[in-house]
Amino acid sequence: MHTTLQDCQDALEAARAQAQGLTHTLAATLAHMYPHAAYLVLRRDPRSGELHLDSLRTAGGGTLCSFGERDLLPELTDPVLRTAWGQTDPRDPQALLQLLRDLDRLGTPFGRLPESAQEQADPYEDTASLLCLVVNAEAPEPEGHDREVTARLALTVTEEVTYEFTAEVELPAYIANNPNALRDYLTDNEDVWLDHLDPLSGVTINERSLDDVELTLA
């Protein structure tokens, strides 16, 4: 039996309608689990084209959670939503990812992360490569998200600096009478002048890099 064009078009239209309804179920599920979630952020592999879970973010771009392969999501306590998931565990991020990939194959459009959701994003993050599903764009920010806290950090910083200072040092007479040899002599004999170096004055910082940082216990 041949399938008519109209039958195919009707089936595609029905599939798109079901995908839209499933997208709403997914958004409602995440909004129930994470009341402050505004966007589900995704990344698309540039080679395979497959979607990957990235994070849930607030309306301002703050990260509520970053998805791990084995970290379960919170319990879904809403009975209607739980019934909609059937035998699939809504806490399983892999089940969530599979659902998103199915929706992607059905042509469900995923938008770009809005500029308003990038205020708290990492300034070095390539936000242009992110996709997102709107969970609840009007979700309130977590209480106290804008307050400052005191954190104890262990930092490793590398600086390239220039010191300019004046010092009176003891030199061999033949060196003092041979300016062309002076630099090489002082390079090989730092102990002659190193104690005169003042690290707090006469300093020009040419370059600084933060090599490492971690939170430590107070």
Side-chain angles (χ1 to χ4, degrees):
M1 182 181 70
H2 294 289
T3 299
T4 66
L5 292 179
Q6 187 60 53
D7 287 342
C8 182
Q9 290 172 352
D10 290 345
L12 289 173
E13 194 63 33
R16 293 191 190 99
Q18 291 294 327
Q20 184 177 13
L22 194 54
T23 301
H24 291 160
T25 298
L26 175 57
T29 297
L30 293 174
H32 182 80
M33 291 175 169
Y34 299 91
H36 301 293
Y39 303 101
L40 171 63
V41 177
L42 310 167
R43 295 182 184 274
R44 189 182 296 279
D45 189 301
R47 294 184 178 180
S48 67
E50 289 280 17
L51 289 178
H52 295 276
L53 293 172
D54 181 274
S55 56
L56 277 169
R57 307 197 187 188
T58 67
T63 300
L64 287 173
C65 75
S66 296
F67 289 103
E69 294 183 359
R70 300 180 180 179
D71 297 333
L72 293 180
L73 278 61
E75 282 289 348
L76 180 59
T77 57
D78 184 286
V80 175
L81 289 172
R82 188 62 191 88
T83 299
W85 281 81
Q87 298 299 314
T88 302
D89 186 355
R91 301 174 304 160
D92 183 359
Q94 290 303 308
L96 174 61
L97 179 58
Q98 185 58 54
L99 174 59
L100 288 163
R101 288 176 174 175
D102 290 342
L103 290 172
D104 189 41
R105 284 192 269 282
L106 286 171
T108 301
F110 297 103
R112 298 292 179 181
L113 189 65
E115 290 186 6
S116 59
Q118 300 181 28
E119 297 175 1
Q120 301 173 36
D122 183 339
Y124 297 102
E125 183 178 37
D126 181 15
T127 53
S129 67
L130 300 178
L131 299 173
C132 77
L133 172 70
V134 178
V135 175
N136 178 12
E138 299 180 356
E141 293 285 346
E143 184 177 352
H145 76 284
D146 55 351
R147 66 186 179 93
E148 293 185 349
V149 298
T150 300
R152 185 180 179 86
L153 306 175
L155 300 97
T156 301
V157 177
T158 298
E159 289 185 344
E160 179 183 312
V161 300
T162 299
Y163 297 97
E164 296 181 2
F165 60 99
T166 301
E168 291 187 2
V169 300
E170 297 293 328
L171 297 174
Y174 74 91
I175 293 294
N177 293 326
N178 186 4
N180 292 331
L182 182 59
R183 179 177 177 182
D184 289 341
Y185 177 82
L186 293 178
T187 299
D188 295 335
N189 298 273
E190 287 187 351
D191 58 296
V192 171
W193 54 266
L194 195 56
D195 289 343
H196 296 275
L197 187 150
D198 182 357
L200 300 180
S201 63
V203 178
T204 301
I205 298 176
N206 303 314
E207 184 178 344
R208 176 187 293 120
S209 65
L210 178 60
D211 303 322
D212 189 29
V213 61
E214 62 179 29
L215 285 167
T216 64
L217 296 177

